[in-house]
Amino acid sequence: MPANKDQLSAALDIEGVVPIQSVQLDAMVVLKIVKHCRESIPATVTGQLMGLDVNGVLEVTHSFPMPKNQESEDFEGSTYQLQMMRCLREVNVDDNSVGWYQSTNMGNFMNQSLIEHQYEFQQALSKSVLIIHDVSRSSMGNLNLRALRLTPAFMKLYKENKFTTEALARAKLTFSNIFEELPITIRNSALLNALLYELETPDESVEISTSHLTTYKNTNNAQSTGSKTVLTPNYDMLDLSMDPFVAKNLEFLMETIDDHTQEQGNYAYWQRSVERENKKKAAYLLNRKTENARRAQAGQAPLPNEDVDSMFKLPAEPSRLDHLLISGQIDNYCKQINEFAGPTLGKLFAVGELQK
Amino acid sequence: MDATSTLHLALPAVHTVVMGASAPVSQLVQPRAFATSVNPLVFFSILDHYLRRNAGQDRVIGTLLGVRSEDGSEVQIRSCYPVPHLETEDQVEVDMEYHRTMYELHRQVNSKEVIVGWYATGADLNQYSALIHDFYQKEVSAFPAVHLTMDTALTNERLGVKTYVAAPVGITSKENNCMFIPIPCDVKYFKAERAGLELLANARNTDSSSTTLLSDMDNLEQSIIQVQTMLERVSAYVDSVLAGTVPANNTVGRYLMNTVSVVPKVDPVEFEKMFNSHLQDLLMVVYLSNMTRTQLAVAKRLEKLI
């Protein structure tokens, strides 16, 4: 089959010519990520994604969680990873690492360590992706997943580790293009579809064979919800309590703005000191000029030319990376508030109509 | 499958153990697990494992992990992992080393989840099931091991999921002698997982069986449409009862009464106040956040000028 062959050659595109256009997650991966992230609230957790890229679509077919304290014991983390991947290979799982995922709360994921991690990933595997799962937003009734990659411009700057204003301006890098976001699709296998249909219809056969035992069933714990008909409609979205979310979001936003102000203070301080040094330098040069002019008049040889630049060292410009990230984070929060406000306004007016 | 006959034989054992935990009928000291709940993720993983089975293999098995309630009477199956095994005409080989390694790896991430049993695909319990079950029974020691089967061949056109515990049979208990007693099994999930499942359920109706993520607004729209259809259905039913075409059902009537009475009665003035203050809050927040964004955008433009 020619179509198949095309696919095969695309899958074996080792040189990595085709850039990734979108990310396709297997249903199981979605659930695994959700489960892992939920279990470890409020800590942020990470995990590995495995899969293949086929013709610009990154298919993520498997994932596994990483142990929590991996920063402190770096060595153990990597052995864990290797062992896990070997084990998964044995059961025919795609053992090709394609990225990682991280949980987040209210979308506060823009920080140095995340950038560094993703940078390392993209450096090693050019087609790796970062999946961000926002637990607090997902629990409001709408699954919140984002697939992100660092942009080539950012990769280049990060490699040179030169985050000066000039370099940023030259690379046309602003907070909005640190990451590129890829569209996510979610795919079910045929058997999974069967399962989903099955979950929707109550299973009578099980009911019958176990009915005589159900009398002993004790009261279930409250933390789980669910019943025989699993896919009962979900109305979390209609929840009217908007205050906690907005308050929390604003709190975070304020914190970030404080950071931003501090960062701006740092920058202004740097600017002032640069200015001061420049002034000193200009004064010195002027001094030297008049001195030389006087000596020339007196018929003396001018003073030897010294390296002026080395005498007045300009302070190094602070890295603008923090500033960039903080701006990105602020932008993120604002967007989040806006995204949230739309449906909430709708809900408010709906309730208003209802009460009339 | 002769499960029905075994069922009758086995039941008294369950009774004794459950009613009087001290009765030395069973060799197990702890009461039996008689209720299980399964996280949907387990089903998903099993299906994925089944899809990735080796050529020529028609059954896959794996270990189930989960948590038990304190008295061991309820088991929540939270996750699972595949274990390679080999079945031939006359023997079965399970890769125990693999099972242990994977368990150790899982422990590093989630120490709360312990081994609670094992799963297999296919609706039948064959002679090897007892052998494998015996092994897992040793793994979980004091508690009864749970066996979960999933009919991936879709006999009876369903993915019949069944859970069992084993009871020893015969006067002298031998490892390959046991009866599998079906136990009830629920599907349970947490609120955050709910949203994920919802989305997956959307995917099943499309041709490509794939879906994209919805925005909050789209999701709200869907919910509202659902509520609307439900309201329409109820009002159609009420109308038909009033018109006398359908006999009135007391239970349904009571449910409806309860639902209607849930809607709170709020004083219009009070409501107006609440409504307006909320609205103002929200609009203010949106306005401020938009201001911030504009500021950022201006800064962005200015930076380019340098």
Side-chain angles (χ1 to χ4, degrees), chain A residues 22-88:
Chain A
S22 69
V23 177
Q24 189 187 68
L25 297 175
D26 253 33
M28 185 184 67
V29 176
V30 175
L31 277 195
K32 275 198 163 175
I33 294 175
V34 170
K35 173 177 180 283
H36 182 212
C37 294
R38 179 199 44 83
E39 269 167 358
S40 37
I41 293 177
T44 50
V45 288
T46 59
Q48 287 273 347
L49 301 173
M50 339 258 285
L52 270 181
D53 64 292
V54 180
N55 226 350
V57 179
L58 192 72
E59 291 180 4
V60 183
T61 51
H62 206 92
S63 73
F64 61 86
M66 292 293 281
K68 255 167 258 169
N69 48 358
Q70 88 197 80
E71 283 94 355
S72 53
E73 299 151 71
D74 216 0
F75 177 66
E76 204 155 299
S78 62
T79 42
Y80 167 84
Q81 193 180 333
L82 280 178
Q83 223 172 352
M84 189 59 131
M85 283 174 78
R86 212 185 45 235
C87 281
L88 289 176

Side-chain angles (χ1 to χ4, degrees), chain A residues 140-189:
Chain A
M140 292 199 332
N142 193 7
L143 187 72
N144 192 284
L145 283 174
R146 295 173 74 183
L148 300 171
R149 277 169 59 78
L150 293 172
T151 49
F154 185 86
M155 286 291 287
K156 211 171 137 234
L157 273 190
Y158 198 91
K159 195 174 176 187
E160 293 161 2
N161 200 9
K162 230 171 65 185
F163 286 98
T164 55
T165 316
E166 203 189 323
L168 288 180
R170 211 176 325 117
K172 291 205 171 62
L173 194 71
T174 57
F175 61 85
S176 51
N177 54 8
I178 301 174
F179 286 112
E180 52 181 342
E181 190 162 353
L182 301 170
I184 296 182
T185 50
I186 292 171
R187 201 187 63 90
N188 296 351
S189 65

Side-chain angles (χ1 to χ4, degrees), chain A residues 239-293:
Chain A
D239 198 358
L240 277 176
S241 65
M242 60 158 206
D243 296 347
F245 181 84
V246 174
K248 195 106 200 146
N249 213 331
L250 284 180
E251 210 174 281
F252 279 128
L253 181 60
M254 250 135 72
E255 244 168 64
T256 339
I257 289 188
D258 278 348
D259 287 346
H260 190 256
T261 326
Q262 203 185 336
E263 199 58 35
Q264 259 180 342
N266 283 348
Y267 191 67
Y269 176 78
W270 172 77
Q271 269 183 330
R272 273 201 305 278
S273 58
V274 166
E275 215 171 303
R276 214 164 36 230
E277 286 297 309
N278 273 339
K279 255 186 205 152
K280 264 198 237 164
K281 193 167 140 189
Y284 176 82
L285 283 177
L286 196 72
N287 222 341
R288 185 51 79 83
K289 227 181 195 169
T290 46
E291 176 84 16
N292 274 350

Side-chain angles (χ1 to χ4, degrees), chain B residues 27-45:
Chain B
Q27 62 190 52
L28 300 163
V29 190
Q30 301 289 332
R32 278 172 201 292
F34 52 86
T36 51
S37 58
V38 188
N39 190 309
L41 172 65
V42 174
F43 298 142
F44 284 47
S45 301

Side-chain angles (χ1 to χ4, degrees), chain B residues 28-288:
Chain B
L28 300 163
V29 190
Q30 301 289 332
R32 278 172 201 292
F34 52 86
T36 51
S37 58
V38 188
N39 190 309
L41 172 65
V42 174
F43 298 142
F44 284 47
S45 301
I46 296 173
L47 289 181
D48 186 71
H49 181 198
Y50 183 71
L51 286 175
R52 290 173 189 283
R53 67 193 186 277
N54 292 324
Q57 191 181 9
D58 55 353
R59 163 163 134 138
V60 293
I61 67 163
T63 304
L64 295 173
L65 298 173
V67 285
R68 284 190 192 84
S69 60
E70 263 166 40
D71 56 348
S73 62
E74 196 193 334
V75 176
Q76 291 185 16
I77 303 171
R78 294 256 179 97
S79 67
C80 66
Y81 57 85
V83 175
H85 84 303
L86 203 70
E87 262 176 75
T88 51
E89 289 276 301
D90 50 297
Q91 64 170 346
V92 58
E93 232 176 79
V94 182
D95 193 341
M96 282 311 143
E97 204 183 313
Y98 184 92
H99 159 75
R100 297 249 156 73
T101 327
M102 272 307 256
Y103 182 54
E104 276 310 309
L105 290 174
H106 268 272
R107 296 278 301 190
Q108 285 182 33
V109 176
N110 197 331
S111 49
K112 267 186 279 173
E113 289 177 0
V114 292
I115 302 176
V116 292
W118 64 294
Y119 69 80
T121 56
D124 297 335
L125 299 166
N126 60 17
Q127 71 268 33
Y128 297 134
S129 296
L131 276 172
I132 301 171
H133 196 84
D134 181 64
F135 164 75
Y136 276 99
Q137 187 54 63
K138 282 175 193 147
E139 287 286 298
V140 298
S141 58
F143 297 96
V146 177
H147 178 39
L148 186 147
T149 59
M150 200 167 188
D151 184 7
T152 40
L154 297 170
T155 40
N156 305 329
E157 308 202 327
R158 333 193 43 123
L159 277 168
V161 174
K162 282 181 183 151
T163 46
Y164 304 91
V165 287
V169 71
I171 299 157
T172 54
S173 59
K174 266 192 259 167
E175 56 191 32
N176 51 356
N177 278 359
C178 76
M179 264 183 302
F180 284 100
I181 312 163
I183 49 174
C185 156
D186 274 345
V187 179
K188 280 188 185 167
Y189 41 77
F190 294 88
K191 209 175 170 186
E193 288 163 352
R194 157 97 261 194
L197 272 178
E198 185 91 341
L199 198 71
L200 301 181
N202 275 339
R204 79 203 145 140
N205 294 329
T206 55
D207 284 340
S208 56
S209 64
S210 61
T211 183
T212 49
L213 295 172
L214 288 173
S215 74
D216 283 358
M217 204 57 160
D218 293 338
N219 204 346
L220 178 69
E221 190 190 336
Q222 278 196 350
S223 297
I224 289 180
I225 291 173
Q226 270 177 348
V227 172
Q228 251 176 357
T229 46
M230 277 164 91
L231 281 177
E232 269 161 25
R233 216 175 112 197
V234 168
S235 57
Y237 171 78
V238 171
D239 284 346
S240 62
V241 170
L242 288 178
T245 46
V246 177
N249 184 333
N250 280 341
T251 330
V252 176
R254 237 168 254 137
Y255 270 122
L256 284 178
M257 265 302 277
N258 282 342
T259 318
V260 171
S261 62
V262 164
V263 179
K265 269 259 177 287
V266 190
D267 179 41
V269 183
E270 193 77 357
F271 180 78
E272 186 80 0
K273 222 167 105 192
M274 266 160 57
F275 179 79
N276 282 333
S277 68
H278 263 89
L279 193 65
Q280 276 165 10
D281 281 358
L282 198 63
L283 288 177
M284 191 66 196
V285 167
V286 172
Y287 172 70
L288 285 177

